[in-house]
Amino acid sequence: MAALLEQTGAHRRGHFRLTTGLHSDEFFLLAQAFQYPQVLEAIGAALAEALKNVLPAGVSVGAVAGPAVGGILLAHAVARCLPARSLFAEKEPGGGMAFKRGFGLEPGEPVVVVEDAVTTGGSVRKTMEAVTAAGGRVVAVGAVVDRSGGAVNFGVPFAALLTRSVAAYPPGDCPLCRQGVPLQDLKRG
């Protein structure tokens, strides 16, 4: 997986501002890999298999949900392989996430939440809250990259295709800033 992410430009080294506001010397911009349908399909199939290995016995997934924007294509690719419906949660003005565009869940419907890259798990947790608010039940979480080195805990089974401990610094404590390494914000530009 690591080689595929390098080849597609989805894994980069330098000085980056993460979505969380933290700084890091590594960045995973999975959209670079997902722009190639055959790569997205392979990643989705691999993540679906990893999720099948952690799902509770006898659970039949009704939907795969991802946070917009990073989880939209991934949710679709994973849902094709499970098979299940594909949904995405969108940001709300108050900072939470919700299902819009007519998406709905049956009461208690088993849902898998997927994300491209997890650092603190904030977007995943907000998507999990959206699932619960819509009446569904999160049964597992999956990610292409777990940047926490396995430290993140969602309270349900979790599967990642690549687990790495990647340093993340508050801007005031960033050694790269102190060294004068130019900061990049790849998601904004």
Side-chain angles (χ1 to χ4, degrees):
M1 183 57 55
L4 180 63
L5 297 181
E6 295 270 348
Q7 291 168 2
T8 59
H11 180 212
R12 300 178 184 197
R13 296 185 200 304
H15 182 197
F16 305 99
R17 178 179 293 118
L18 304 177
T19 304
T20 61
L22 299 172
H23 292 194
S24 182
D25 63 348
E26 289 186 68
F27 196 84
F28 292 90
L29 188 60
L30 278 292
Q32 291 296 305
F34 296 169
Q35 70 179 318
Y36 303 103
Q38 68 278 16
V39 172
L40 174 61
E41 287 178 18
I43 290 171
L47 187 55
E49 283 304 311
L51 285 161
K52 287 176 187 176
N53 291 330
V54 301
L55 280 168
V59 170
S60 179
V61 176
V64 178
V69 171
I72 294 175
L73 291 174
L74 182 62
H76 184 80
V78 171
R80 285 188 64 195
C81 297
L82 283 182
R85 292 180 299 126
S86 173
L87 315 174
F88 57 89
E90 298 176 74
K91 290 182 182 177
E92 290 278 77
M97 297 189 98
F99 292 109
K100 301 177 183 181
R101 303 173 195 272
F103 290 144
L105 296 167
E106 296 295 321
E109 184 173 0
V111 178
V112 168
V113 173
V114 297
E115 174 67 300
D116 55 358
V118 171
T119 301
T120 63
S123 294
V124 168
R125 285 186 185 86
K126 289 177 183 179
T127 304
M128 292 173 75
E129 290 168 5
V131 168
T132 302
R137 177 175 55 98
V138 178
V139 294
V141 171
V144 178
V145 179
D146 171 10
R147 294 175 41 97
S148 80
V152 70
N153 183 345
F154 297 109
V156 296
F158 177 53
L161 298 181
L162 180 63
T163 300
R164 299 186 48 135
S165 292
V166 178
Y169 310 99
D173 294 331
C174 179
L176 300 165
C177 287
R178 287 194 297 274
Q179 294 169 15
V181 177
L183 180 65
Q184 299 177 58
D185 195 339
L186 295 178
K187 288 195 173 179
R188 286 187 168 71

